[in-house]
Amino acid sequence: MRQPWITYKIVEVLSKIRVPARLDHLHTLIDIVSNCAKEQGLGGKRINEIEIATEEALVNIFHYAYQEQEGDVEISCKTEHGRTFIIEITDAGMPFNPLSVSEPDTTLDVAERQIGGVGVFLIKKLMDDVIYRRDGNKNILELVVNLKT
């Protein structure tokens, strides 16, 4: 009997941290992500792009996820098959799919543009892929960087 083709996902967790979702933890979280990116051999420009995208995602969580309540944010840095570097950001705040946000109309003058959505637009432009899923009561956002490009 022929065996079905099975694909295994080999994911290595490089670092994982959970802290209260507050702005005073931003630099610590960015430093962890930056160090993991450096360990993957990424260059300075790409690391800066990763830092900007991660900061945008985290600040959104700090400001909007928990609305008047305390909550945590967790960051995991991972590699998958040594081909991708993944920053997984998890919070248990209100459901929010950043991929559902409309892209800003960049053809309009800055004064005429709607407020909001620029951070998510920036994240999508800087990362090779952005994946969102809701798992139970958690928002899970993955910022994906190709390592072999």
Side-chain angles (χ1 to χ4, degrees):
M1 174 178 223
R2 188 173 178 190
Q3 295 294 321
W5 182 256
I6 298 173
T7 304
Y8 293 99
K9 217 176 184 182
I10 300 173
V11 177
E12 178 185 0
V13 177
L14 305 168
S15 183
K16 188 174 190 174
I17 183 171
R18 178 187 297 196
V19 296
R22 294 192 318 250
L23 205 51
D24 55 328
H25 294 289
L26 180 63
H27 291 292
T28 300
L29 296 170
I30 297 296
D31 285 347
I32 290 168
V33 170
S34 184
N35 287 332
C36 288
K38 284 177 193 165
E39 289 172 7
Q40 297 309 303
L42 294 166
K45 180 178 183 277
R46 194 64 175 134
I47 291 172
N48 286 340
E49 292 169 346
I50 291 167
E51 290 173 345
I52 291 167
T54 303
E55 182 175 327
E56 287 292 334
L58 287 171
V59 170
N60 273 340
I61 291 168
F62 297 159
H63 286 292
Y64 305 113
Y66 292 104
Q67 307 233 340
E68 317 264 334
Q69 298 176 356
E70 296 280 322
D72 291 336
V73 63
E74 180 178 288
I75 285 196
S76 300
C77 295
K78 305 175 180 179
T79 61
E80 188 175 292
H81 298 285
R83 286 182 263 169
T84 55
F85 174 61
I86 302 165
I87 302 109
E88 184 179 272
I89 304 172
T90 304
D91 70 81
M94 54 191 277
F96 175 66
N97 179 355
L99 302 179
S100 67
V101 175
S102 300
E103 289 192 5
D105 185 349
T106 56
T107 62
L108 295 174
D109 186 72
V110 172
E112 297 172 356
R113 293 183 195 165
Q114 281 191 304
I115 296 173
V118 175
V120 173
F121 175 74
L122 192 59
I123 291 169
K124 290 180 192 173
K125 290 294 179 191
L126 293 174
M127 298 291 96
D128 292 311
D129 198 7
V130 180
I131 300 165
Y132 169 83
R133 69 180 185 279
R134 182 84 179 164
D135 186 4
N137 68 339
K138 294 181 179 178
N139 295 300
I140 301 171
L141 184 67
E142 291 185 344
L143 310 178
V144 180
V145 178
N146 294 329
L147 293 173
K148 308 221 176 186
T149 56

